[in-house]
Amino acid sequence: QVQLVESGGGLVQAGGSLRLSCAASGRIFSTYVMAWFRQTPGKERKFVASISWSGGSTYYTDSVKGRFAISRDDAKNTVYLQMNSLKTEDTAVYYCAVDPQRDGLYDYWGQGTQVTVSS
């Protein structure tokens, strides 16, 4: 079992920055893929960014490329999402997730943290 706890969400003006954190505990292995997703009311959850735990390979959805950066601290079992130049359309609940088998299936999810970007 893997437990994930997100933090760092909040209210920010457009153009501002936030850094989200996701602390993982439980059966953590260096091969896990970690990712961030986001969801707005009435919409499906969407992929934002991912990072391989040991290799450091990163992937982003097009709408956040150049503005968001995913990183990880292996010693702390923590993944971060640095969000810069925030836009109102970035407003969502952000979720951390783990893909233990590296098969594109995220088996573990955090409880989510709200990010609200005001105009």
Side-chain angles (χ1 to χ4, degrees), residues 2-111:
V2 177
Q3 294 79 41
L4 303 171
V5 178
E6 302 103 331
S7 60
L11 174 64
V12 64
Q13 287 189 328
S17 298
L18 281 175
R19 189 177 81 154
L20 306 183
S21 300
C22 173
S25 60
R27 292 174 57 83
I28 305 298
F29 296 100
S30 61
T31 57
Y32 284 6
V33 173
M34 303 288 292
W36 289 94
F37 288 75
R38 63 187 180 186
Q39 187 173 25
T40 54
K43 300 289 181 65
E44 64 180 17
R45 197 167 296 183
K46 294 184 178 180
F47 172 83
V48 175
S50 66
I51 186 167
S52 62
W53 197 256
S54 59
S57 298
T58 58
Y59 301 92
Y60 299 91
T61 191
D62 286 346
S63 62
V64 307
K65 285 180 181 177
R67 301 188 298 122
F68 289 12
I70 189 170
S71 62
R72 82 275 191 260
D73 183 332
D74 294 349
K76 296 182 179 180
N77 283 340
T78 300
V79 175
Y80 304 97
L81 185 67
Q82 178 66 44
M83 305 186 294
N84 300 323
S85 302
L86 282 162
K87 304 176 181 179
T88 55
E89 52 263 43
D90 294 320
T91 295
V93 177
Y94 284 71
Y95 296 90
C96 177
V98 170
D99 172 7
Q101 306 297 327
R102 296 177 293 165
D103 58 1
L105 299 178
Y106 291 88
D107 297 323
Y108 301 100
W109 295 83
Q111 82 287 352

